[in-house]
Amino acid sequence: MAFHIVLVEPEIPANTGNISRTCAATGAWLHLVRPLGFDTDDKTLKRAGLDYWHSVHIEYHDSFQEVKDKYKSGRFFFATTKAQKLYTEFTFQDNDFFVFGKETKGLPPEMLAEHPEHLIKLPMTEAVRSLNLSNSAAIVLFEALRQTGFEGLS
């Protein structure tokens, strides 16, 4: 069993490092879509991921279309504050992909427009624009893991 976290043009190395550690802890795959806002040798990235990088299945892609082409049978869910449905209103299954945008802008509007039935959001007050990227990815991933019985985890 494996879920997939897709980061489209992430900008902050510590967020990506934290997400990589979450992926290592859960067996989720991490997909990084270029351009990245940092060098993958960045010490902040490495520090946030600690010594778990060897446990992360990570793939680099030059575009989101490349991810979709490679995983044609995958179900993709797009995290956005613009969604109408909460992430808890969906039933997730093995091999689902959770797509997150860059920290400053989120996912491109055209990507959201192409997938209106698979937009998910996390509830929050109006006091903030969005949650931290690494927190959001962990929340959605753990909901998917909960729904599938935390298979393979102890």
Side-chain angles (χ1 to χ4, degrees):
M1 168 168 278
F3 288 103
H4 300 259
I5 301 292
V6 180
L7 303 181
V8 177
E9 301 179 11
E11 299 168 310
I12 302 173
N15 283 334
T16 300
N18 289 336
I19 292 167
S20 72
R21 186 174 181 180
T22 298
C23 288
T26 60
W29 291 26
L30 178 59
H31 301 266
L32 299 179
V33 178
R34 296 179 184 102
L36 308 180
F38 50 85
D39 181 39
T40 53
D41 291 333
D42 187 294
K43 68 179 181 179
T44 307
L45 176 72
K46 299 294 186 196
R47 183 174 44 233
L50 295 175
D51 56 349
Y52 300 110
W53 284 102
H54 68 280
S55 299
V56 180
H57 183 102
I58 186 167
E59 293 185 1
Y60 296 89
H61 306 275
D62 290 324
S63 68
F64 178 68
Q65 187 62 49
E66 185 179 297
V67 180
K68 284 179 56 176
D69 290 346
K70 184 172 182 177
Y71 297 97
K72 288 180 176 36
S73 63
R75 292 191 327 155
F76 291 84
F77 296 89
F78 302 83
T80 176
T81 58
K82 297 163 184 65
Q84 298 302 308
K85 289 187 173 183
L86 298 176
Y87 72 105
T88 53
E89 296 180 56
F90 292 84
T91 301
F92 301 120
Q93 60 192 30
D94 185 27
N95 282 316
D96 281 346
F97 289 73
F98 304 111
V99 184
F100 298 86
K102 62 174 72 178
E103 289 90 340
T104 57
K105 295 183 181 178
L107 292 167
E110 58 275 6
M111 188 182 292
L112 301 178
E114 289 176 22
H115 307 281
E117 70 285 355
H118 287 116
L119 303 182
I120 61 175
K121 72 175 179 178
L122 283 77
M124 66 185 99
T125 69
E126 293 180 8
V128 296
R129 288 185 306 279
S130 63
L131 292 170
N132 173 273
L133 178 62
S134 62
N135 291 339
S136 298
I139 290 167
V140 172
L141 176 59
F142 270 89
E143 172 60 16
L145 291 165
R146 184 196 66 78
Q147 288 184 16
T148 56
F150 295 106
E151 187 175 325
L153 304 178
S154 58

